[in-house]
Amino acid sequence: MQCKGTPFERFVADAMKKIRIMLPANVDIRLDDVLDTVSFHADPLRGEEAEIAGRYQIIQDAIQRQATVGTNYYTAARGTVTPRTIDPYHLHGAHGAWYCIGYCHMRQEIRTFALDRMADLQETGAFFEIPADFSIDEYLADSLELERGEPRRVVIEFDGSQVPYIK
């Protein structure tokens, strides 16, 4: 299973069982055969799987309960670890990594945090409300992958032989 070792492994297995139960008796689907003929690309999970799954669960629970979390966060750009207090709004998986998008009390703005860079993650006992005007689609709209910044207009020139692939 391509999601083995991810936080979704159990959910996918349960969904497959439910699909099998819901099908009419005269429809015979061997899930092992289906898994051999259907595939998708999933990047390997970045970081130690059990630790990431544990952090994912803590963040997911905190989002559901709107509970503030605290962590010691490693900032790769500066190579430093700083204590952070975060109101988690959303979990986003991209390129084999899980990210928590939420309000950072230190920076006083919505920021993106990689789960594999969090240490000592726990709920603080404080609670929050997600602002009514927060939209994950709008937050990610002007990002390249997860990198955010001011939108810029760019022109990319390609050799004519690449036109069929670009279209």
Side-chain angles (χ1 to χ4, degrees):
M1 183 180 341
Q2 291 169 319
C3 60
K4 189 168 182 68
T6 72
F8 293 116
E9 179 177 2
R10 181 178 52 114
F11 300 112
V12 171
D14 290 347
M16 296 303 261
K17 287 178 191 173
K18 290 177 184 176
I19 289 170
R20 184 180 275 159
I21 291 168
M22 297 298 290
L23 292 172
N26 64 338
V27 175
D28 182 28
I29 293 182
R30 294 181 190 94
L31 292 180
D32 291 336
D33 293 342
V34 170
L35 293 175
D36 288 338
T37 60
V38 175
S39 66
F40 61 92
H41 175 75
D43 290 327
L45 187 62
R46 190 175 79 192
E48 202 283 309
E49 292 174 356
E51 288 179 15
I52 299 302
R55 292 173 194 155
Y56 178 97
Q57 191 62 56
I58 291 169
I59 297 288
Q60 181 62 46
D61 290 347
I63 290 170
Q64 296 300 315
R65 297 180 340 85
Q66 295 186 329
T68 300
V69 297
T71 187
N72 289 315
Y73 189 72
Y74 173 72
T75 304
R78 288 186 294 283
T80 59
V81 175
T82 54
R84 300 292 181 106
T85 304
I86 304 163
D87 297 339
Y89 296 170
H90 186 83
L91 278 163
H92 182 76
H95 307 290
W98 282 101
Y99 298 89
C100 170
I101 297 169
Y103 181 79
C104 175
H105 289 248
M106 184 173 110
R107 299 284 183 210
Q108 297 186 345
E109 65 182 359
I110 298 172
R111 302 291 289 254
T112 301
F113 300 93
L115 268 60
D116 61 311
R117 295 185 195 154
M118 292 179 163
D120 307 317
L121 180 64
Q122 59 189 354
E123 289 189 19
T124 65
F127 296 90
F128 66 92
E129 287 190 33
I130 297 175
D133 62 348
F134 174 75
S135 162
I136 190 62
D137 293 330
E138 287 179 21
Y139 179 80
L140 295 174
D142 291 327
S143 63
L144 177 63
E145 303 296 332
L146 284 172
E147 298 299 322
R148 299 185 73 241
E150 290 298 316
R152 305 226 187 262
R153 183 178 172 92
V154 297
V155 175
I156 302 173
E157 294 184 18
F158 294 94
D159 181 84
S161 66
Q162 299 302 309
V163 170
Y165 302 106
I166 297 167
K167 282 186 179 181

